[in-house]
Amino acid sequence: MDLILCHTTADFDALGAAVGLSRLKAGAKIVLPGGAHPAVRDFLALHRDEFALIERRSVNAKQIRSLTVVDTQQRDRLGKAAEWFDLPHLNEIVLYDHHPAGDSDIPATQIYIEPVGATTTLVVEQLQKSDWGLSKESSQSKIELTPAEATVMALGIHVDTGSLTFEHTTPRDAAALGWLMAQGASLKVIAEYIDPGLSRQLQELLKVALDNMQRITKWGHTISWCLLSTSGFVPGLSSLASQLIELTESDALLLAARYQQREEERGKGGAGETEELTYLQSQNPKSDDRLTIIGRSRIDGTDLNRLFQEIGGGGHSQAASANLRSVDSQAILEQLVEQLENQIPHPPTARELMSSPVRTIRPDTTIEQAQRILLRYGHSGLSVVNAQDELVGIISRRDIDIALHHGFSHAPVKGYMTTNLKTIAPDTPLPEIESLMVTYDIGRLPVLQNGQLVGIVTRTDVLRQLHQEKAKFKSQKSKVWEDDSLLSFALCLLPSVRDRLASPLWQLLQKAFQEAEKRGWHLYLVGGAVRDLLLADNEGQVLLEDIDLVVDGFHRSADVGAGVELAKALQQVYPAARLEVHGQFQTAALLWHNDPNLGSLWVDIATARTEFYPYPAANPEVEASSIRQDLYRRDFTINALAVRLTEPRAGELLDFFGGVLDLQSRQIRVLHANSFIEDPTRIYRAVRFAVRLGFEIEPQTERYIRHAIASGIYEQVQGKNGRAPALETRLKSELKYILQAPYWKAALKLLADLGALRCIHPTLDLDENLWWQVRLLARCLRRFDAQKTLEHWQMRLEVLIAYLATEYRGKVANNLQLPTDSIARLQNLDKAQFEVVENLPKCEHISKVVQLLRRYDLPTLILVAVKSTRFVRRKIWRYLTEWRNIKAPLNGNDLKVLGYKPGPQYSKMLDVLLAATLDGVVCVNEASPQEIRAAAEAFLAEHFPLASQTKY
């Protein structure tokens, strides 16, 4: 006999799973060891005969071959049937459950525990696999459920997942439910039993519970609890708990029912319930106290399963229960309340949410001036402070717009600002901030400390934090239910940073954030390092040669010199590092070169700052700001990521712009529409990252690029302002990155497709001829400069510039600040090419070709070659590969030995000898060194006889 055991007080999930397994295990019988939930009991009153149910007392233990347990991992939830586990002749004990794995005391030989929403889901998947395993030719028929079987299994999933709404629900539950609907599950019956209402007894207890409910509130979350005393066991307390948490609008609820089991209570209830009471009484014949506790929680970060496991119960993080005996009921309940309260995570405070420093103005600032400040910094409001820097008001963008509409641009803001202010302290928790904003419809709350304005929290800050917490909880759940995703991995990056970096590099970061914490600052790892950590394979270390760190205020404001201060502190620990302080904003860099531990490493350290471009393609003006503003000034979402290295919440990923999602989608997305207008080098960075990472440029971002180029703004700026830094040294830097990279061909093609080469010059386009020249250059460099004595990236750039009209080349080369020799070469290229093309056909001998071409350096000859006809290219090719390597057979020392008097004539004699050698007059092919020397001496004796040397 094969038996399937449900737990005591069986619910629909236990029964549904058991019914499904009875179809998988032909001939297996279902046993309810100790009663059923009221709704299940009512359902079985109508449908019991449609399932393979038998009474426990009718089982002959000697005939049991196997046991399958569903929806529990504990023996004590199986009543007296638990004794069967000790039978020596059992073939197997199989366990199916969907609760997080705990310390099971069931001696199972096979275990199927997976974190889905219902155990029935696991059984449905087994049924589906059984169907899929049958071939078309198989004589075995597929399993088809009856409507009653499909309905009870569907009820199991509905009830345990809250009709697919509970947090622990997975896509697998939805798929299983869909399959059961296709099998004929009755929606009418499901609707009837899914919310059957409360029995009369439970309705009475509901009134008592509401009258005696106790509550506490911690950080905006309400925990409610109640201890009921009943005359006996009450089935259906879980339904009562669900009603209570809704009616009391609690975030968490603990419902306890204390009752005493007495001898005279035997015989009450259904057959299953009688068995359970009999079993419990048999364990302790005397009257004793029993305690049932039901827990429900909607507070992210709490785990009822862990709490209840400590007292012998269990369940899910959001729902759990326990059945205890002979305990101090009040003490147990108070203990659970205290532990649950301690589980509630500390919410973020204003100090962690606020932007700092705050952009402020004086009361006499004009409306027009305030409007320009809002435009410059992209704020939606400004704080107004007096001469003592005390907050006296706030003016919003709407206030300013109204004043401007009525023509009061000259009026001071003090006449329009709001003075009845709500303020908060740095330690004000998020729920209180949220409540203030909702209650008073406030979009921004100033943060005051000792009467001084230290920060501001906006509605956007709150919404972003709430969204991140929701995403974090969702991702933690998906991490449990499914494979690791990039999002779940990114929740706390600090362990990954530590594990994925070489130990010396991690120690450097550790020392950096310790120094920052000493000074009351936050320290962030930002930009490309974070991106590369997220993209890296799980195995192996990430090689970082360039690290960006940003200092932001926390307990103490971080002024513009904070980055330098931190860098100097680190240099005390790492004296081998070279410290560079540069720029008016006092950013600092620590550089190591071939260090035995850190290798060649560049660490930039700066204070969080914001940027403003006074005109397109200008150098930005920078000011101290917050980490949010610092990230907003960056180019793309995948580079606007930061990891907090300091406490509290060290390891938290800051992703304000959807960078992680873009990494998952493998796309390059710009942060704002005017990004490419302000800085055209971002076009080149977009291409560089796209090609290097194998990403696509997001369609809207591509449209922004094309619009910026087509607008002609860059030419206008150069004409109006005389220069555009973003089109000069910064563009040269980006060109260098691209043209020296292994992927330069693909990047160049993409730049051309976007029309971005026009940033170099409006007439530059990568047509078929220029593309051929660029590829020919690559062949020339491989052949003529294998040792890379030339700057290959610069040669590629020179080919591009050389394709422009003559009058533009020098100007473009000057704008890009190329080296002097490069500028001169491009300016004189036409002259060199004309001379070569004009004179090469006239050179009847090789010596004349060599005499013509040796006047030019290698870069010039390569540029002439790629721009000339095949005839010219062949001559230059042979010159560079053969003829320039031929030397005169004799040198000055040889001439002296031969008796020639040293003097200027040596040069002429050797040139004539070389020409004769090149032209074959002095034969060197297939001749021995002695023969070559003899031929050279004979040539000199004929053309420069010693008797005539006095002439020279």
Side-chain angles (χ1 to χ4, degrees), residues 808-847:
Y808 301 138
R809 295 173 190 167
K811 182 179 179 182
V812 171
N814 273 297
N815 282 343
L816 294 175
Q817 298 185 15
L818 294 184
T820 305
D821 63 325
S822 176
I823 296 173
R825 185 163 45 247
L826 289 165
Q827 288 176 329
N828 298 321
L829 182 59
D830 276 358
K831 179 182 176 184
Q833 186 172 10
F834 175 80
E835 291 174 349
V836 170
V837 172
E838 182 72 17
N839 293 309
L840 263 183
K842 301 175 183 178
C843 298
E844 298 178 356
H845 300 290
I846 295 174
S847 60

Side-chain angles (χ1 to χ4, degrees), residues 435-640:
S435 177
L436 282 171
M437 286 185 168
V438 171
T439 302
Y440 297 101
D441 190 24
I442 300 173
R444 58 195 62 81
L445 286 169
V447 184
L448 301 184
Q449 186 174 32
N450 299 325
Q452 294 297 305
L453 181 64
V454 295
I456 193 160
V457 177
T458 67
R459 187 181 285 117
T460 301
D461 297 328
V462 172
L463 289 173
R464 183 183 291 116
Q465 183 63 38
L466 293 173
H467 171 75
Q468 287 182 333
E469 290 182 354
K470 181 179 179 181
K472 178 178 179 181
F473 180 74
K474 179 181 178 181
S475 185
Q476 284 175 330
K477 182 183 72 172
S478 69
K479 185 176 180 180
V480 174
W481 301 145
E482 302 167 1
D483 295 336
D484 265 4
S485 65
L486 183 61
L487 186 59
S488 61
F489 161 70
L491 290 174
C492 183
L493 270 176
L494 204 57
S496 298
V497 173
R498 181 183 61 242
D499 296 340
R500 294 188 176 197
L501 294 181
S503 179
L505 193 52
W506 166 249
Q507 291 171 6
L508 169 65
L509 292 180
Q510 192 174 34
K511 188 62 181 175
F513 68 69
Q514 288 171 352
E515 291 293 332
E517 285 177 338
K518 285 180 187 178
R519 292 160 172 79
W521 299 330
H522 267 320
L523 185 67
Y524 298 88
L525 177 68
V526 301
V530 181
R531 177 198 67 228
D532 293 344
L533 282 166
L534 289 170
L535 288 175
D537 295 333
N538 290 331
E539 299 179 1
Q541 292 184 334
V542 180
L543 300 177
L544 297 178
E545 297 180 349
D546 189 356
I547 292 177
D548 287 333
L549 299 175
V550 171
V551 182
D552 193 16
F554 186 51
H555 292 292
R556 181 164 74 87
S557 294
D559 58 25
V560 293
V564 175
E565 182 180 338
L566 183 59
K568 288 180 177 178
L570 285 176
Q571 195 188 34
Q572 297 297 315
V573 183
Y574 295 94
R578 186 172 87 252
L579 174 64
E580 290 185 359
V581 178
H582 45 84
Q584 62 179 5
F585 197 72
Q586 293 283 290
T587 57
L590 289 171
L591 295 87
W592 288 262
H593 181 65
N594 293 333
D595 185 86
N597 295 315
L598 295 170
S600 295
L601 177 66
W602 183 301
V603 178
D604 265 313
I605 307 176
T607 308
R609 58 199 192 272
T610 188
E611 292 179 346
F612 178 75
Y613 289 81
Y615 58 87
N619 278 329
E621 298 174 3
V622 292
E623 297 180 11
S625 187
S626 65
I627 185 64
R628 287 180 178 82
Q629 289 293 322
D630 190 276
L631 294 176
Y632 184 67
R633 72 182 180 83
R634 296 174 185 269
D635 47 14
F636 309 110
T637 59
I638 62 170
N639 294 332

Side-chain angles (χ1 to χ4, degrees), residues 359 371-380 382 397 610-612 621-625 629 632:
R359 200 71 55 196
Q371 194 266 347
R372 285 202 301 268
I373 294 172
L374 286 182
L375 174 65
R376 174 166 183 155
Y377 297 106
H379 294 340
S380 58
L382 292 168
R397 183 185 298 277
T610 188
E611 292 179 346
F612 178 75
E621 298 174 3
V622 292
E623 297 180 11
S625 187
Q629 289 293 322
Y632 184 67

